[in-house]
Amino acid sequence: MPRKPLMAGNWKMNKTIAEAVVLSQDISNNFERDWLDAADVLVCPPYVDLKPVKTVFEFDKLDIAIGAQNVYWEESGAYTGEISIPMLSEIGCTYCIVGHSERRTLFGETNEDVNRKVDALTKAHINPIVCVGESTAVRESGKTREFVCAQVEAAFAGIEPEEARGSVVAYEPLWAIGTGRTATPEQAQEVCASIRATLADLFGADFADETRVLYGGSMNPGNVEMLLAQPDIDGGLVGGASLQATSFIQLVKACL
Ligand code: PGA
């Protein structure tokens, strides 16, 4: 079975509820339902927008998935400012981004934190989108694949293959995020292939074969085709270009 592509919008800290409703309506109004036969489509708005965005898609009977950008691994308790997995489940989130480089660099998230989140999410049947990627310094040192594969291993440490099924890995080189500087299709393919090889080492060839590996980092309508043409790139995790319906829809159509 070929892998079904996934196009995921990461809205980051953009869009108030009113703006999020407008954007999701705009996506919905320009969307053709049968596209979802060929590609999975996901948007990850800020927490406060999850329910309103879900309501728009539900009202239009459109099976665009919603996901969170982060989560905390404990079920409930004295963790001021955090959001739990049961809260996300109740809203209908089926995915959650984990270990985005902005969380790692700006908020001190470690590989161990990522692992705990992946563990808790997979147990609750929410698919983690595990973000990995190297800095410019790591790339210049020639250790990109080593670094990225170690992040993948750490994220899935101690997790059973049955639980991990449905997880997604997103390769996002830090130097390409929000910079307009995309990895070349060859650079992205090389690392995504190594990520798949690491998944095969961890969980077996079948698991690696069915698991989606995305590329993220300045993906846009101009470069999406070349990136998706690579054998180990199964879709995108998109920031900037997901904030407008026209460009996001162009990215979705590139998956068809
Ligand atoms: P970008 O962000 O598409 O704006 O580079 C991607 C991401 O950080 O997920």
Side-chain angles (χ1 to χ4, degrees), residues 140-164:
E140 284 171 356
S141 74
K143 296 214 160 65
T144 294
R145 284 192 285 172
E146 222 174 296
F147 181 87
V148 168
C149 294
Q151 284 184 318
V152 173
E153 282 167 12
F156 289 104
I159 293 169
E160 297 300 322
E162 279 320 308
E163 280 170 4

Side-chain angles (χ1 to χ4, degrees), residues 223-236:
N223 58 33
V224 63
E225 305 271 359
M226 292 284 285
L227 289 160
L228 294 184
Q230 303 304 311
D232 286 295
I233 301 180
D234 307 314

Side-chain angles (χ1 to χ4, degrees), residues 7-74:
M7 189 49 70
N10 173 12
W11 294 5
K12 306 194 180 185
M13 198 179 72
N14 294 292
K15 307 292 174 188
T16 64
I17 292 178
E19 292 165 345
V21 167
V22 169
L23 175 56
S24 39
Q25 280 172 337
D26 206 4
I27 293 171
S28 180
N29 291 341
N30 292 285
F31 206 94
E32 290 181 26
R33 200 164 276 108
D34 60 4
W35 295 346
L36 293 168
D37 297 337
D40 288 336
V41 179
L42 164 71
V43 296
C44 300
Y47 290 131
V48 294
D49 299 337
L50 284 166
K51 184 72 181 167
V53 169
K54 177 81 182 161
T55 304
V56 169
F57 295 143
E58 266 175 2
F59 184 81
D60 291 345
K61 299 191 171 43
L62 197 56
D63 208 6
I64 295 179
I66 58 159
Q69 300 171 14
N70 184 30
V71 75
Y72 194 58
W73 55 78
E74 295 289 352

